[in-house]
Amino acid sequence: MNNSFSLLALDLRQQASNHILKTLKNTIYVFDRRYRVVDDQIVLQNTSNDNDFFIDLYGKNINIQAIVGKNGSGKSSLLDIIYRVINNLSFSLLTKTQSQLTPLFLINDLYADLYYSVGSQTYTISCKGEQIEWRKVDLLKHTVIETLYLSTWTKEKFEFKTLIEKSKELFYVIVTNYSPQSLVSNEYKAEKVSFYYQGKLRERRDASWMPSLFHKNDGYLTPICLAPYREDNGAINISKELRLTTYRLSSIFLYYEYSGKKDTLIDNYSLCDIRYEFRPTFSKEKFQNYNGESRKPITYVSNKSIAKLILELFGVYDGILLNRHKIYRSCCEYLTAKVLTIVDTYQSYARYRKLFFKNNSTTKYDVQISISGALPPPANQELLRKLIEQLIKDKSHITIKLRQVLGLLQYILKCKKQNMDDSWLTAISTDFSFKTYIEEVHNNPTVDSIESMQALLPPPIFDVKIFLNKENSKKEDNILLCDLSSGEKQMLCVLSTLVYHVLNLISIAKETDRVSYRNIMIMLDEVEICFHPDYQRQFITRLVTALHNLGLTKECAFYILLATHSPFILSDICQRNILYLKEGEDVSKTIKVNPFCANVNDILDQSFFMEKGFSGEFAASKVRELIKYLDSNSQRSHSGWTKDSAEYFIKHMIGDPIIQSALLAMFNKKFYG
């Protein structure tokens, strides 16, 4: 892997729409300070002073940059335009393959050129209205080396197999933004968008391009994902996010535990136990969702039903257990329903939709043949066999839960066949520990990667609870994950979300017939939300450590771009990797203090443009009132100051000794000459 994946610049000189620009200017914004603009051209500066230490500052395959400035300076607007560029390229590349469940739209009024580098090679993605161009370029000679893609709406020339080959030269974007005022889909409906129909672009009114970027039902085909998921009104389902975080964290915590890693995701906490509780209604509801008009439970499926054939093809059917064993029955419900969910959801399995759904529809639960219905004709039975064969061979994230449920089903069948003591199976219908589960079901296998740990987890027919130990805690009780503070949960949520998506991308890349994104851009907008200053100080280290410890940097090159207001985060980033914005202008050349390992007050002063000081505005206004009073000839001010109140305020309320000394000198001069 080459660790020099980097975003270079964004050229907005042709962007006319004020709705898109907002406070930004028609100029070139440079992210990587190894580059500069000379005579309207982006050129590489002399990098002879660079050395391996700087290149590998954050370890192999990690590069970190930041955008800073006051609220309203254009940070989020700049990120939004990057999202738009990736959206328009995705719409163009995936016109023939995108899911109709969450269709992409072309943003008509976007005019921007995004420059990036992979290794020693430079690329540009150019969006000029309907014309989208992806090129390999030579910045030294200002020439185009190769046109990788050029939009041609009258005749489709770009084949999916070509995208598989070219995807190694592209990158995947993972965005996290937990600000409640950001990424509200309805606010983007003012932008003109188009969709593709019968060989032509057609304008779509009152539609937003953003919702499709929250969904990953395309199996990570579209190279961008916004997290967390939001409704059109911007609402985030916090309870759902916590459930997802709990599930994602379980494999990470367990990997640290079983692989012998000494580090943790968060300071002062270590894993105590992970416990599971059976929820029978979950699998039953999933099964009924695909049962069409039939409301038969799985115990009543006929010997010639689709559900029975699916179980037989996986080698896990047992009619006696189906009626007598509730854990086995729940697993069978989940397994059969999951097969239809995968076919219904993922484009890579679209060819099998005619087995179950009307008119090859991608609308969920538009069932033509119910899961408990009769077997299809022989030709479709053969197609079903091919589907199961493909699912068994598929080792991506799409089938991870299938593998989990198959592991438990195979164990239950083994217990029956070998007359093993299965009393433990009765116990797990209530509550059990993962330590017991991995010992009984998997016989304590060696865990060499987090992906292998994921496959060992119990299937989703169980609720998950994570119990943690807190260092130096006087309480004997273990702490539930859901009982942590909001800042602690936020740290774990952000880290687990990033790891989750990266692992899924790696799993997809290992499949030969899938798009392989090996360069990953992580974009973090206001990541410090809910973080105590010490958590802000730790964040870069926590993220970098997790990427290395989980082995992710061996598979991918990472470029991390932060838009932040935190001086503690900025103190972990070198000056040449920072874009400074002030009222939409790039003012990076005016910044004299390198924030890396610098004094926080110096960073606040220059990097965040704190011209009015660092005290709270209310306190500062009281000091200004006092100075005005001490400078006057009056013994009493209009603001209510007197000699006694001024003396008390200076001696007992001012925290800064320098300010206190200066005010005291003014006080003595006024009253004692």
Side-chain angles (χ1 to χ4, degrees):
M1 288 297 303
N2 191 310
N3 70 340
S4 58
F5 167 48
S6 177
L7 201 64
L8 305 184
L10 181 63
D11 186 348
L12 300 179
R13 287 176 294 176
Q14 297 184 53
Q15 180 61 55
S17 171
N18 289 330
H19 180 80
I20 290 177
L21 279 177
K22 298 182 180 178
T23 60
L24 297 173
K25 313 300 179 184
N26 291 115
T27 187
I28 301 175
Y29 292 91
V30 178
F31 300 99
D32 190 330
R33 292 296 155 188
R34 292 177 300 170
Y35 294 80
R36 60 191 176 117
V37 180
V38 178
D39 297 330
D40 291 332
Q41 298 286 346
I42 301 170
V43 298
L44 180 65
Q45 300 187 81
N46 187 350
T47 57
S48 59
N49 293 327
D50 285 357
N51 54 47
D52 292 340
F53 176 80
F54 183 86
I55 292 172
D56 295 333
L57 181 63
Y58 302 100
K60 294 289 185 182
N61 293 333
I62 295 182
N63 185 17
I64 302 180
Q65 295 179 354
I67 309 173
V68 298
K70 289 183 177 180
N71 288 327
S73 62
K75 300 187 302 298
S76 294
S77 299
L78 210 57
L79 299 186
D80 276 3
I81 293 176
I82 296 174
Y83 309 155
R84 290 181 177 94
V85 170
I86 303 303
N87 173 85
N88 277 14
L89 178 65
S90 302
F91 175 87
S92 304
L93 293 176
L94 307 176
T95 297
K96 294 197 297 182
T97 57
Q98 64 170 295
S99 168
Q100 297 305 307
L101 183 63
T102 52
L104 293 165
F105 294 101
L106 180 76
I107 303 163
N108 298 344
D109 296 333
L110 180 64
Y111 291 81
D113 294 328
L114 183 66
Y115 291 82
Y116 69 96
S117 65
V118 176
S120 59
Q121 185 57 62
T122 306
Y123 303 82
T124 180
I125 302 169
S126 179
C127 299
K128 293 178 174 58
E130 295 180 2
Q131 181 176 323
I132 315 297
E133 191 169 5
W134 176 28
R135 300 168 297 179
K136 187 184 298 184
V137 298
D138 186 334
L139 290 182
L140 293 176
K141 298 179 180 179
H142 310 303
T143 58
V144 176
I145 298 174
E146 179 185 359
T147 297
L148 300 171
Y149 173 77
L150 176 64
S151 57
T152 52
W153 302 114
T154 56
K155 186 178 181 181
E156 298 172 88
K157 297 179 179 179
F158 199 80
E159 298 294 335
F160 182 64
K161 63 180 181 181
T162 307
L163 178 58
I164 294 176
E165 297 170 3
K166 299 293 186 182
S167 61
K168 294 179 178 62
E169 298 182 79
L170 194 56
F171 54 87
Y172 193 95
V173 182
I174 304 172
V175 179
T176 68
N177 186 330
Y178 286 85
S179 170
Q181 305 302 325
S182 300
L183 304 182
V184 180
S185 296
N186 285 336
E187 295 181 357
Y188 293 80
K189 285 186 176 180
E191 298 175 38
K192 294 180 181 179
V193 298
S194 295
F195 66 102
Y196 187 71
Y197 182 66
Q198 293 184 345
K200 292 183 179 180
L201 285 176
R202 302 171 188 269
E203 189 172 326
R204 172 76 180 269
R205 298 184 182 277
D206 196 35
S208 173
W209 54 270
M210 183 166 286
S212 297
L213 306 190
F214 286 110
H215 293 269
K216 289 328 312 152
N217 295 331
D218 63 354
Y220 292 85
L221 194 58
T222 306
I224 184 170
C225 174
L226 307 183
Y229 176 78
R230 299 170 190 252
E231 303 295 339
D232 287 347
N233 62 2
I236 301 171
N237 188 328
I238 299 299
S239 297
K240 183 177 181 181
E241 285 299 308
L242 183 58
R243 288 197 301 272
L244 291 172
T245 297
T246 302
Y247 175 80
R248 294 165 181 173
L249 282 172
S250 64
S251 61
I252 299 173
F253 275 122
L254 289 168
Y255 173 69
Y256 274 102
E257 180 85 7
Y258 282 86
S259 64
K261 299 284 185 183
K262 294 182 180 179
D263 212 332
T264 61
L265 276 179
I266 186 170
D267 276 353
N268 303 321
Y269 288 99
S270 59
L271 180 65
C272 173
D273 195 9
I274 297 182
R275 302 198 68 82
Y276 297 84
E277 186 174 335
F278 181 48
R279 50 172 180 166
T281 57
F282 174 74
S283 57
K284 190 176 294 184
E285 289 170 358
K286 284 188 72 70
F287 183 83
Q288 291 301 338
N289 280 337
Y290 288 108
N291 224 355
E293 297 179 358
S294 171
R295 306 309 297 168
K296 291 180 181 179
I298 197 169
T299 49
Y300 289 96
V301 298
S302 68
N303 287 332
K304 296 182 179 181
S305 69
I306 291 177
K308 181 174 182 287
L309 179 56
I310 289 174
L311 294 172
E312 287 178 337
L313 291 171
F314 277 114
V316 292
Y317 178 74
D318 188 300
I320 296 175
L321 285 175
L322 199 62
N323 285 279
R324 298 180 181 178
H325 200 294
K326 62 181 180 180
I327 299 294
Y328 173 84
R329 181 165 59 249
S330 189
C331 285
C332 289
E333 288 172 335
Y334 182 82
L335 176 64
T336 51
K338 187 63 178 176
V339 170
L340 271 73
T341 300
I342 290 173
V343 172
D344 192 19
T345 302
Y346 294 102
Q347 196 66 20
S348 53
Y349 285 89
R351 62 186 287 245
Y352 301 107
R353 287 187 183 138
K354 63 183 180 182
L355 286 169
F356 313 108
F357 304 106
K358 294 179 183 177
N359 303 321
N360 238 6
S361 172
T362 57
T363 304
K364 277 181 174 292
Y365 317 137
D366 188 12
V367 180
Q368 178 176 335
I369 302 175
S370 68
I371 196 171
S372 59
L375 287 174
N380 279 1
Q381 290 183 43
E382 181 59 29
L383 187 62
L384 182 58
R385 288 187 176 88
K386 291 181 179 179
L387 165 62
I388 304 305
E389 288 174 2
Q390 183 175 338
L391 288 170
I392 292 172
K393 292 177 182 177
D394 188 341
K395 302 304 179 184
S396 73
H397 76 283
I398 293 174
T399 61
I400 187 68
K401 293 176 182 177
L402 278 183
R403 282 174 274 154
Q404 291 170 357
V405 73
L406 283 170
L408 182 52
L409 281 170
Q410 289 161 356
Y411 172 77
I412 294 171
L413 292 170
K414 178 182 175 182
C415 286
K416 180 185 177 184
K417 183 177 181 180
Q418 299 182 6
N419 293 318
M420 295 168 56
D421 179 11
D422 63 353
S423 58
W424 176 76
L425 288 171
T426 303
I428 71 170
S429 63
T430 53
D431 174 85
F432 62 96
S433 167
F434 180 79
K435 295 176 182 178
T436 306
Y437 185 86
I438 194 171
E439 181 180 349
E440 292 283 349
V441 177
H442 299 294
N443 195 26
N444 287 327
T446 302
V447 176
D448 56 5
S449 68
I450 189 168
E451 296 96 326
S452 61
M453 175 54 74
Q454 286 179 320
L456 301 175
L457 297 177
I461 65 170
F462 302 99
D463 279 325
V464 187
K465 291 183 179 180
I466 298 178
F467 293 86
L468 301 173
N469 289 319
K470 186 172 184 179
E471 294 178 11
N472 304 320
S473 175
K474 295 181 180 179
K475 295 182 180 180
E476 295 182 0
D477 296 335
N478 302 313
I479 301 173
L480 264 172
L481 176 69
C482 60
D483 291 333
L484 295 180
S485 72
S486 60
E488 291 169 329
K489 285 187 284 192
Q490 183 72 7
M491 173 73 85
L492 292 172
C493 183
V494 171
L495 292 175
S496 64
T497 296
L498 297 175
V499 168
Y500 168 79
H501 286 300
V502 172
L503 285 171
N504 288 349
L505 285 164
I506 290 173
S507 76
I508 290 291
K510 290 179 179 178
E511 301 293 314
T512 57
D513 60 342
R514 304 279 175 82
V515 173
S516 176
Y517 298 110
R518 292 292 186 169
N519 304 301
I520 297 178
M521 181 189 297
I522 295 175
M523 301 179 72
L524 307 170
D525 195 357
E526 297 190 55
V527 72
E528 66 270 15
I529 289 176
C530 293
F531 287 173
H532 179 276
D534 195 48
Y535 270 22
Q536 297 176 33
R537 187 185 62 80
Q538 293 180 35
F539 180 75
I540 293 294
T541 290
R542 286 286 154 214
L543 175 56
V544 168
T545 301
L547 293 175
H548 285 304
N549 279 354
L550 297 173
L552 307 182
T553 53
K554 296 177 182 178
E555 303 282 349
C556 303
F558 292 92
Y559 169 78
I560 301 168
L561 180 62
L562 302 107
T564 181
H565 293 122
S566 170
F568 302 99
I569 288 178
L570 207 62
S571 69
D572 274 340
I573 304 175
C574 294
Q575 186 175 12
R576 83 170 200 183
N577 282 7
I578 301 171
L579 169 59
Y580 296 89
L581 292 178
K582 189 173 185 180
E583 297 178 356
E585 299 276 2
D586 180 354
V587 295
S588 303
K589 292 180 179 179
T590 68
I591 305 301
K592 304 302 181 185
V593 174
N594 180 0
F596 192 81
C597 205
N599 180 280
V600 170
N601 283 338
D602 291 336
I603 298 173
L604 283 170
D605 182 18
Q606 291 208 62
S607 298
F608 294 98
F609 312 107
M610 300 286 288
E611 296 94 341
K612 295 184 179 180
F614 313 125
S615 300
E617 180 56 29
F618 179 80
S621 69
K622 301 303 288 185
V623 170
R624 289 195 295 269
E625 286 177 6
L626 178 58
I627 291 172
K628 186 176 181 180
Y629 168 62
L630 295 177
D631 269 344
S632 71
N633 295 323
S634 173
Q635 295 297 306
R636 186 179 182 91
S637 75
H638 294 295
S639 302
W641 290 105
T642 64
K643 176 183 177 182
D644 289 342
S645 64
E647 184 175 21
Y648 182 87
F649 183 84
I650 294 169
K651 291 182 177 179
H652 300 287
M653 297 190 69
I654 299 296
D656 188 299
I658 296 176
I659 296 175
Q660 184 183 58
S661 178
L663 289 173
L664 192 58
M666 293 179 69
F667 177 86
N668 290 332
K669 181 179 179 180
K670 178 179 178 70
F671 292 104
Y672 301 110

